[in-house]
C-alpha cells in the first residue's frame, strides 16, 4: 500500500502471503501468530506511548524494534517502514518531536489492523 493511503484507514488491506509462506501453509500456525500479535502488540503500543511521554527514547527504539518484524508478518509493510522511522529517530535522537505524530498514526492504524486480523483469523478457522 502506498504511503498516500496511510491516512485512509478504512482501505487498509493486509497481505498474509508472507505469513503463509513462513507458516508453510499451516492455517493453525497462522492463527497462532495472529493471536500472538493481537495479544502482545497492544501492550507494546501502550509502552511506546508512555515512553514517548517520558522522552525515554532508548525504550521507544527498543520496543519499535520488536514490533517491526511482526508488522511485516501481518502484511503491513508500510506500517513497518513507519515503525522503523520511529525506531531510527528515537535511536539517533533525530527530530524526536516528529515521533509522536508518526506514532499516533500507527496507533490509529493498529486499531483497524486488529479488526482486520480478527476477520482474517475467522476465515482461516472456517
Amino acid at each position: 500500500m502506498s504511503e498516500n493511503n496511510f491516512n485512509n484507514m478504512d482501505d487498509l488491506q493486509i497481505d498474509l502471503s508472507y505469513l503463509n509462506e513462513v507458516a508453510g501453509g499451516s492455517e493453525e500456525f497462522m492463527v497462532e501468530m495472529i493471536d500472538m500479535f493481537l495479544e502482545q502488540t497492544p501492550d507494546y503500543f501502550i509502552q511506546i506511548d508512555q515512553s514517548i511521554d517520558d522522552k525515554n527514547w532508548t525504550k521507544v527504539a527498543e520496543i519499535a524494534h520488536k514490533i517491526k518484524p511482526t508488522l511485516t508478518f501481518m502484511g503491513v509493510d508500510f506500517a513497518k517502514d513507519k515503525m522503523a522511522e520511529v525506531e531510527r529517530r528515537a535511536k539517533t535522537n533525530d527530530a524526536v518531536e516528529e515521533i509522536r505524530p508518526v506514532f499516533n498514526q500507527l496507533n490509529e492504524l493498529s486499531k483497524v489492523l486488529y479488526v482486520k486480523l480478527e476477520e482474517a483469523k475467522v476465515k482461516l478457522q472456517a
Side-chain angles (χ1 to χ4, degrees), residues 25-48:
S26 168
E27 291 175 350
E28 183 179 328
F29 182 75
M30 290 176 70
V31 168
E32 287 176 21
M33 293 295 290
I34 291 170
D35 280 340
M36 190 181 318
F37 181 87
L38 292 171
E39 183 179 311
Q40 294 176 348
T41 307
D43 289 337
Y44 287 150
F45 272 82
I46 290 167
Q47 290 175 33
I48 289 178

Side-chain angles (χ1 to χ4, degrees), residues 6 45 48-49 51-52 56-65 67-68 71 79-96 98-107:
F6 188 77
F45 272 82
I48 289 178
D49 190 49
S51 297
I52 291 170
N56 184 343
W57 307 123
T58 301
K59 189 166 184 180
V60 169
E62 287 173 5
I63 300 167
H65 183 76
I67 295 173
K68 272 189 328 195
L71 291 169
K80 179 211 45 131
D81 294 342
K82 289 292 185 182
M83 192 60 76
E85 178 185 342
V86 167
E87 178 190 11
R88 182 187 58 75
R89 289 187 186 286
K91 192 179 286 187
T92 62
N93 283 314
D94 173 39
V96 292
E98 294 179 27
I99 290 174
R100 171 58 72 190
V102 172
F103 175 74
N104 287 348
Q105 266 189 325
L106 284 165
N107 203 20

